[in-house]
């Protein structure tokens, strides 16, 4: 154990002139032992579901009345995930404070049912930027800036800052990548130091590993897992909990081997086999006794509130029960987009539809569509059999005309429609062209010199050059028009808050013309003419809504988003053949 840092070392990070072995970046007022840390590392391969594991464990502890705060640490040098291609990395998840993060943050928000902030996400890019900025300001006072203690110190500092800012009982640290990767090596070293400095019962290291089950052998093999765990130990970390990922339950023989080679008692080596849905993982961890072991390791049993746990678990179990109950009804929702081949690129849409399916007691089949091949000629064949269409967000002109054709088809054929961000813009362009007669209407994103730029770059963004960091980002209030369909969907609310990520918007000088022709802008930004919601009246179309926001980002299992819920409800009506919509039908005549 290191001694408690002296008060002047506690005072500030820039206090580096002290000639000491132990660079101790404790934020001012930090109390050791108040907040505990659970660190989740991956071995053998990426894609083990560290985020799902970590968020599920955090959820169970939160249900017990403990305050939890997750943080994802990414090894890449990008400052945030904003410039990452969703086709390679999965969707960019936008937090309320505008931080663009990895999709795992979405998993945490949905599991924990709470909004996170930039404090819950960091990258090597952020860590090094802070250090280099400080170096340029001369704050290292003549010292050479080193990986240890300065870079690892910066990591520990951000973890402790999060602990203080969130007042958490437990901070969950998920280290991106796999142990042994060069780019996250210093995070692992920082965790080793943290565990040492915080002392016993303060840091619980969980190593997730993978048990291979080759078809040709028909049995589970543990060697890769052993080697992976060895790397964790070579880095100076002793795991206290091991989670063995595997398609099928991990047998005792394998668990014994893992236990033996990693000095972790059998009762702390868990089978983390595949289950039907990620929402079943919290209960699975609880049934296996993982939460109890973590509470013991971190000396937390006396912070548990049993009543809170019973209530929260009952609620969650209700959702899971409904999810696994076989559902007779089903709807097919087409989601158009150029990343159609990759579900991860639209993870939140996928999840929002999943939440709604559970609440509406129907199966939601998603038909992913690449719109690059869609034309006026074939659109009917492609869309006729679906009960609803989502045109999601996106960037660039590829597939844009196909999306516009989809919007035209669903508008004319009364197929329930939800346009999200770019999809909202496509709906405006389609309406301008085909209803308002504005030939050549387009977005300046695709055609800067088009005759009718109904979608144009935001005035505030025009001034900012470059790709990264010039979007309207994060949670924003939306003022809903009284009596509009959108306000009805959101329980007659006058104001809601949704998340945004866009550079373009409806050009204000076209608003009146679009509205004169029947398009309703039922929601806009406070104090600015930024249109954020559009709809068609219900006597014209059963469900035609668009939003400049991304409501899928704030859809939660127990409280699905209203626009998505509305879409599924309308799709269910369409799926019931005797209730097909006609305008007269809707008008009640
Ligand atoms: N490309 C559009 C814009 O920047 C839409 C963005 C999005 O769909 N997220 O405004």
């Amino acid at each position: 154990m290191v001694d408690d840092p002296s008060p002047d070392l506690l005072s500030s990070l820039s206090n580096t002139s002290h000639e000491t072995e132990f660079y101790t970046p404790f934020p001012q007022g930090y109390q050791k032992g108040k907040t505990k840390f659970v660190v989740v590392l991956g071995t053998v391969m990426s894609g083990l579901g560290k985020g799902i594991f970590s968020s599920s464990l955090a959820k169970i502890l939160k249900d017990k009345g403990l305050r939890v705060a997750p943080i994802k640490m990414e090894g890449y040098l990008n400052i945030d995930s904003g410039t990452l291609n969703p086709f390679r990395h999965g969707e960019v998840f936008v937090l309320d404070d505008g931080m663009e993060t990895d999709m795992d943050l979405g998993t945490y928000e949905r599991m924990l049912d709470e909004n996170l902030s930039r404090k819950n996400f960091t990258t090597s890019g952020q860590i090094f930027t802070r250090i280099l900025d400080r170096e340029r300001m001369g704050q290292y006072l003549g010292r050479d800036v080193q990986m240890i203690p300065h870079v690892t110190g910066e990591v520990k500092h951000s973890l402790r800052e999060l602990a203080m800012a969130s007042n958490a009982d437990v901070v969950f640290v998920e280290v991106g990548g796999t142990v042994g990767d060069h780019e996250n090596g210093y995070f692992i070293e920082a965790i080793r130091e943290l565990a040492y400095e915080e002392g016993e019962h303060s840091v619980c290291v969980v190593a997730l590993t993978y048990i291979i089950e080759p078809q040709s052998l028909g049995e589970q093999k543990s060697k890769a897992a052993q080697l992976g765990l060895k790397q964790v130990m070579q880095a100076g970390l002793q795991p206290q909990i091991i989670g063995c990922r595997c398609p099928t339950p991990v047998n005792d023989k394998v668990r014994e081997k893992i236990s033996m080679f990693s000095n972790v008692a059998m009762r702390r080596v868990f089978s983390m086999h595949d289950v039907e849905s990620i929402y079943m993982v919290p209960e699975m961890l609880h049934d296996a006794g993982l939460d109890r072991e973590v509470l013991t390791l971190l000396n937390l049993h006396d912070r548990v509130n049993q009543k809170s746990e019973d209530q929260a678990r009952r609620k969650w179990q209700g959702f899971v029960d409904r999810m696994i109950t076989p559902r007779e009804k089903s709807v097919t929702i087409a989601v158009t987009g150029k990343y159609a081949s990759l579900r991860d690129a639209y993870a939140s849409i996928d999840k929002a539809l999943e939440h709604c399916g559970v609440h509406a007691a129907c199966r939601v089949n998603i038909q992913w569509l690449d719109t690059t091949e869609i034309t006026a000629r074939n659109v009917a064949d492609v869309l006729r059999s679906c009960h609803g269409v989502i045109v999601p967000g996106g960037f660039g002109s590829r597939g844009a005309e196909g999306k516009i054709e989809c919007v035209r088809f669903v508008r004319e054929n009364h197929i329930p429609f939800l346009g999200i961000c770019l999809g909202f813009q496509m709906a405006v362009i389609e309406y301008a062209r085909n209803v308002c007669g504005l030939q050549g209407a387009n977005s300046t994103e695709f055609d800067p010199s088009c005759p009718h730029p109904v979608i144009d770059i935001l005035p505030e963004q025009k001034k900012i050059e470059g790709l990264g960091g010039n979007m309207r980002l994060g949670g924003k209030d939306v003022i809903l028009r009284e009596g509009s369909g959108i306000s009805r969907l959101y329980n007659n609310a006058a104001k809601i808050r949704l998340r945004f990520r866009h550079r373009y918007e409806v050009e204000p000088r076209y608003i009146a013309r679009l509205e004169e022709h029947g398009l309703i802008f039922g929601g806009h930004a406070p104090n600015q003419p930024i249109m954020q919601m559009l709809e068609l009246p219900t006597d014209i179309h059963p469900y035609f809504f668009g939003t400049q926001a991304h409501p899928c980002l704030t859809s939660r299992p127990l409280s699905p988003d209203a626009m998505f819920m509305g879409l599924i409800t309308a799709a269910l009506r369409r799926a019931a053949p005797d209730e097909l919509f006609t305008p007269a039908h809707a008008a009640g005549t």
Side-chain angles (χ1 to χ4, degrees):
M1 275 296 305
V2 272
D3 292 329
D4 277 328
S6 65
D8 50 351
L9 271 179
L10 279 170
S11 68
S12 108
L13 229 191
S14 58
N15 225 341
T16 51
S17 60
H18 300 269
E19 287 305 326
T20 171
E21 251 342 274
F22 295 105
Y23 177 84
T24 47
F26 289 85
Q28 209 156 18
Y30 183 78
Q31 266 176 282
K32 276 209 295 189
K34 185 164 180 271
T35 298
K36 315 283 186 166
F37 297 84
V38 170
V39 181
V40 179
L41 307 170
T43 73
V44 177
M45 65 176 200
S46 59
L48 288 175
K50 288 193 298 281
I52 293 167
F53 174 90
S54 176
S55 57
S56 299
L57 184 55
K59 178 189 164 33
I60 323 180
L61 295 200
K62 180 179 175 176
D63 288 352
K64 291 176 193 291
L66 297 173
R67 219 181 243 276
V68 297
I71 179 166
K72 171 105 194 247
M73 306 196 118
E74 294 282 19
Y76 50 71
L77 287 164
N78 309 58
I79 302 288
D80 56 38
S81 311
T83 53
L84 298 183
N85 178 352
F87 195 54
R88 279 178 64 102
H89 301 270
E91 98 180 332
V92 176
F93 194 84
V94 184
L95 302 181
D96 190 77
D97 65 4
M99 186 74 188
E100 296 173 283
T101 72
D102 174 80
M103 59 187 280
D104 267 342
L105 272 280
T107 310
Y108 285 109
E109 284 206 344
R110 287 185 289 267
M111 258 324 170
L112 298 175
D113 196 11
E114 65 184 54
N115 288 349
L116 300 175
S117 76
R118 58 187 64 240
K119 281 203 160 43
N120 304 100
F121 180 73
T122 197
T123 66
S124 290
Q126 287 180 33
I127 303 237
F128 288 123
T129 300
R130 284 204 293 271
I131 290 172
L132 294 177
D133 285 349
R134 203 173 293 125
E135 189 275 334
R136 287 293 82 187
M137 291 191 285
Q139 289 186 0
Y140 289 100
L141 304 172
R143 268 196 72 159
D144 49 339
V145 184
Q146 296 182 296
M147 291 304 281
I148 304 172
H150 303 104
V151 180
T152 52
E154 188 66 33
V155 174
K156 290 182 285 178
H157 190 266
S158 32
L159 295 179
R160 288 170 174 144
E161 252 194 342
L162 172 63
M164 285 180 71
S166 60
N167 200 13
D169 291 296
V170 187
V171 163
F172 280 80
V173 188
E174 178 191 345
V175 180
T178 318
V179 179
D181 294 349
H182 274 296
E183 51 179 15
N184 65 18
Y186 73 92
F187 285 135
I188 312 284
E189 166 59 16
I191 298 299
R192 189 197 64 73
E193 294 170 17
L194 182 86
Y196 177 57
E197 291 170 2
E198 294 284 322
E200 268 184 77
H201 300 299
S202 293
V203 179
C204 169
V205 176
V206 182
L208 288 189
T209 191
Y210 192 74
I211 304 298
I212 301 169
E213 201 169 1
Q215 256 188 353
S216 55
L217 299 179
E219 62 171 318
Q220 296 174 346
K221 296 302 238 178
S222 67
K223 182 62 67 130
Q226 287 174 42
L227 292 174
L229 293 166
K230 202 165 162 183
Q231 269 194 305
V232 179
M233 293 190 285
Q234 272 169 351
L237 277 178
Q238 172 59 55
Q240 283 121 323
I241 301 261
I242 294 178
C244 302
R245 290 284 295 115
C246 189
T248 54
V250 177
N251 65 47
D252 287 352
K253 203 177 93 199
V254 168
R255 283 178 50 238
E256 248 165 42
K257 268 197 196 162
I258 298 281
S259 160
M260 170 66 202
F261 282 99
S262 56
N263 313 313
V264 176
M266 268 287 269
R267 67 174 193 286
R268 291 184 179 155
V269 179
F270 294 90
S271 168
M272 293 279 312
H273 44 276
D274 292 352
V275 282
E276 230 172 279
S277 153
I278 65 163
Y279 299 122
M280 293 163 83
V281 176
E283 205 56 20
M284 174 190 176
L285 300 185
H286 175 75
D287 290 345
L290 205 143
D291 47 347
R292 197 183 48 236
E293 292 303 325
V294 172
L295 292 178
T296 304
L297 284 161
L298 295 176
N299 244 345
L300 281 174
H301 283 290
D302 56 358
R303 296 196 206 173
V304 169
N305 176 341
Q306 193 58 50
K307 221 168 106 195
S308 141
E309 178 176 13
D310 293 344
Q311 263 176 8
R313 278 187 53 210
R314 221 173 301 126
K315 251 193 184 165
W316 188 255
Q317 202 48 50
F319 173 78
V320 174
D321 286 347
R322 263 180 289 163
M323 188 177 62
I324 54 180
T325 307
R327 292 169 245 169
E328 271 171 31
K329 290 181 279 184
S330 76
V331 291
T332 300
I333 305 292
V335 181
T336 73
K338 67 178 174 180
Y339 306 122
S341 54
L342 214 73
R343 214 166 243 252
D344 272 4
Y346 298 110
S348 294
I349 290 182
D350 191 32
K351 291 292 159 204
L353 289 174
E354 184 184 46
H355 308 155
C356 294
V358 175
H359 288 269
C362 72
R363 272 178 290 125
V364 181
N365 307 315
I366 303 181
Q367 195 183 339
W368 301 96
L369 288 181
D370 184 345
T371 52
T372 45
E373 304 291 319
I374 294 183
T375 61
R377 278 216 196 136
N378 63 15
V379 65
D381 300 335
V382 182
L383 292 182
R384 187 165 282 132
S385 61
C386 63
H387 308 111
V389 172
I390 294 177
V391 178
F395 294 84
S397 62
R398 210 174 139 248
E401 288 303 318
K403 287 176 199 163
I404 293 170
E405 271 314 317
C406 289
V407 181
R408 184 189 58 75
F409 185 81
V410 298
R411 183 179 54 76
E412 291 177 352
N413 292 280
H414 308 125
I415 298 175
F417 165 75
L418 177 57
I420 298 173
C421 203
L422 185 74
F424 163 93
Q425 298 173 355
M426 299 284 102
V428 172
I429 295 169
E430 191 279 323
Y431 210 79
R433 285 185 193 173
N434 301 325
V435 181
C436 306
L438 296 170
Q439 264 182 29
N442 214 332
S443 164
T444 52
E445 182 178 4
F446 316 138
D447 183 0
S449 53
C450 63
H452 293 292
V454 289
I455 304 293
D456 200 0
I457 201 148
L458 296 164
E460 69 220 55
Q461 316 294 29
K462 272 188 182 148
K463 301 169 215 135
I464 315 166
E465 295 292 317
L467 253 193
N470 66 352
M471 276 194 279
R472 182 169 178 262
L473 281 171
K476 313 266 176 209
D477 289 341
V478 183
I479 307 296
L480 301 184
R481 188 187 292 179
E482 208 186 323
S484 61
I486 191 69
S487 133
R488 274 198 303 281
L489 278 178
Y490 284 101
N491 286 328
N492 299 318
K495 190 169 84 175
I496 56 170
R497 190 171 177 85
L498 291 173
R499 302 222 183 132
F500 290 80
R501 182 173 187 251
H502 66 121
R503 202 173 277 127
Y504 295 82
E505 63 169 13
V506 180
E507 167 58 66
R509 68 192 156 97
Y510 286 101
I511 293 171
R513 180 115 179 223
L514 289 157
E515 292 214 304
E516 276 157 24
H517 285 81
L519 194 64
I520 298 169
F521 287 111
H524 61 87
N527 315 319
Q528 274 173 307
I530 304 181
M531 296 300 109
Q532 310 199 314
M533 295 286 178
L534 67 73
E535 65 190 81
L536 285 177
T538 44
D539 54 350
I540 303 279
H541 195 287
Y543 194 87
F544 190 95
F545 282 91
T547 172
Q548 189 63 81
H550 295 261
C552 40
L553 297 178
T554 34
S555 183
R556 305 266 166 87
L558 302 182
S559 49
D561 172 72
M563 293 186 96
F564 275 81
M565 206 54 205
L567 177 77
I568 295 300
T569 313
L572 270 170
R573 278 200 300 270
R574 185 173 176 86
D578 50 325
E579 282 182 37
L580 261 191
F581 177 85
T582 63
H585 178 152
T589 48

